[in-house]
Amino acid sequence: MTTRTQTDDTHGTDSARTFLVTSATGKTGRRVAERLGARGATVRAGSRTGRVRFDWEDTTTWGPALRGVDTAYVNYYPDLAAPGAVAAMETFGRLAAEHGVRRLTLLSGRGEPEAVGAEDALRSCGLELTVVRASFFAQNFNEGPMAEGVAAGTLAFPAGGTAEPFVDADDLADVIVETLLRDGHAGRVHEVTGPRLLTFAEVATEISHASRRPLVYVPMSEGEYAALLTGAGLPAPEAQWLAALFAGLLDGHNASVTDGVKRVLGREPRDFAAFAAEAWRDR
């Protein structure tokens, strides 16, 4: 829904702007909307079922959601590397420009070649665009579909022994909000990661320690993971696409850390151990 909180005197100019947050019930959208509201901004939280309707599969909802908006956070569902993302970004960018939007921040995937075409499509609209490319979210293990398996004691994923610099979604949201509110980010691409590399087996160990319950990592092939998703009720084409996406992302080419969080926020990103300790503290 559209929210307005008391204006923070330090950031008074933010209250004069209207921000559209797409996919506002997701991991990052919810956090971005909350942070913008806390800064005194007028937030239009767009979702398929909320008061401000915004559905990536229904283009008729885009224009009304963009009306009167100055700045937008663009979080495409299901993923910027998905089929159809380029066309969606072209249409969204055109509508944003027509409705007088000035600034956009786009969430993209780190190391996703297919996503770059979608980034370029949105960039072609001519608005101020910042791209934030994120690594795998730490919160994938306690929010969303993976949480059920983790709670049951099994972390099954097609990652082999590849290490990933898991980023905390709270750090990512802080970066996104900074790019939405502050000048100097237009035209830039920020790659954000956590501070260290962890294999999925090491993630299981970290979560086991924090939760005081055993968690076993079970490496799977791409085909095995697609079958697992299909068995859980996902349509076969979507399951195969997701399995291929994850297997491609976790082939080792993203096994490095960046200083993106520190460059934007002036502080170090939160370590996975700190995330796990908080996430499983009361469970």
Side-chain angles (χ1 to χ4, degrees):
M1 64 180 180
T2 302
T3 61
R4 180 72 173 271
T5 63
Q6 184 177 359
T7 301
D8 181 341
D9 291 338
T10 306
H11 305 284
T13 57
D14 300 338
S15 64
R17 300 160 63 187
T18 298
F19 296 79
L20 172 65
V21 176
T22 67
S23 304
T25 57
K27 291 184 186 71
T28 62
R30 171 172 53 85
R31 289 172 166 86
V32 168
E34 290 171 352
R35 283 160 169 75
L36 287 172
R39 301 280 280 266
T42 298
V43 182
R44 191 170 292 173
S47 66
R48 288 178 294 181
T49 57
R51 288 179 57 188
V52 177
R53 282 208 66 226
F54 187 94
D55 186 346
W56 282 114
E57 296 181 350
D58 182 0
T59 57
T60 65
T61 66
W62 300 2
L66 285 163
R67 191 171 297 122
V69 166
D70 175 83
T71 305
Y73 169 47
V74 186
N75 182 8
Y76 181 71
Y77 179 85
D79 189 271
L80 209 61
V86 170
M89 291 302 99
E90 289 174 345
T91 302
F92 183 88
R94 174 178 55 78
L95 287 172
E98 289 175 358
H99 283 82
V101 177
R102 182 173 63 90
R103 176 178 295 176
L104 305 171
T105 291
L106 173 67
L107 178 63
S108 187
R110 182 174 182 244
E112 294 185 20
E114 299 86 354
V116 175
E119 294 173 11
D120 290 340
L122 188 58
R123 190 174 287 113
S124 69
C125 72
L127 305 181
E128 296 180 14
L129 176 66
T130 305
V131 176
V132 179
R133 295 175 182 163
S135 60
F136 203 92
F137 300 169
Q139 279 76 5
N140 285 336
F141 299 109
N142 72 321
E143 299 178 22
M146 291 186 69
E148 184 176 349
V150 170
T154 301
L155 174 55
F157 215 68
T162 299
E164 171 74 7
F166 300 93
V167 67
D168 191 294
D170 288 315
D171 285 340
L172 175 57
D174 286 341
V175 168
I176 290 165
V177 167
E178 188 69 14
T179 67
L180 292 169
L181 294 177
R182 297 291 169 254
D183 295 332
H185 297 282
R188 301 187 65 181
V189 176
H190 297 298
E191 288 202 2
V192 295
T193 72
R196 65 183 171 117
L197 292 166
L198 289 166
T199 66
F200 275 66
E202 290 169 335
V203 163
T205 299
E206 297 265 4
I207 294 175
S208 294
H209 177 74
S211 65
R212 298 176 297 280
R213 293 194 300 269
L215 177 62
V216 177
Y217 169 53
V218 179
M220 309 186 81
S221 69
E222 179 182 324
E224 289 170 335
Y225 190 67
L228 178 69
L229 294 176
T230 303
L234 207 63
E238 186 175 349
Q240 291 163 3
W241 176 79
L242 273 176
L245 175 67
F246 289 140
L249 287 174
L250 295 164
D251 65 359
H253 73 278
N254 280 334
S256 61
V257 300
T258 71
D259 64 349
V261 171
K262 186 173 183 179
R263 282 191 292 106
V264 175
L265 301 178
R267 63 166 175 80
E268 297 293 339
R270 186 160 71 149
D271 188 75
F272 189 91
F275 151 75
E278 179 178 325
W280 279 273
R281 179 180 299 147
D282 300 319
R283 297 192 182 189

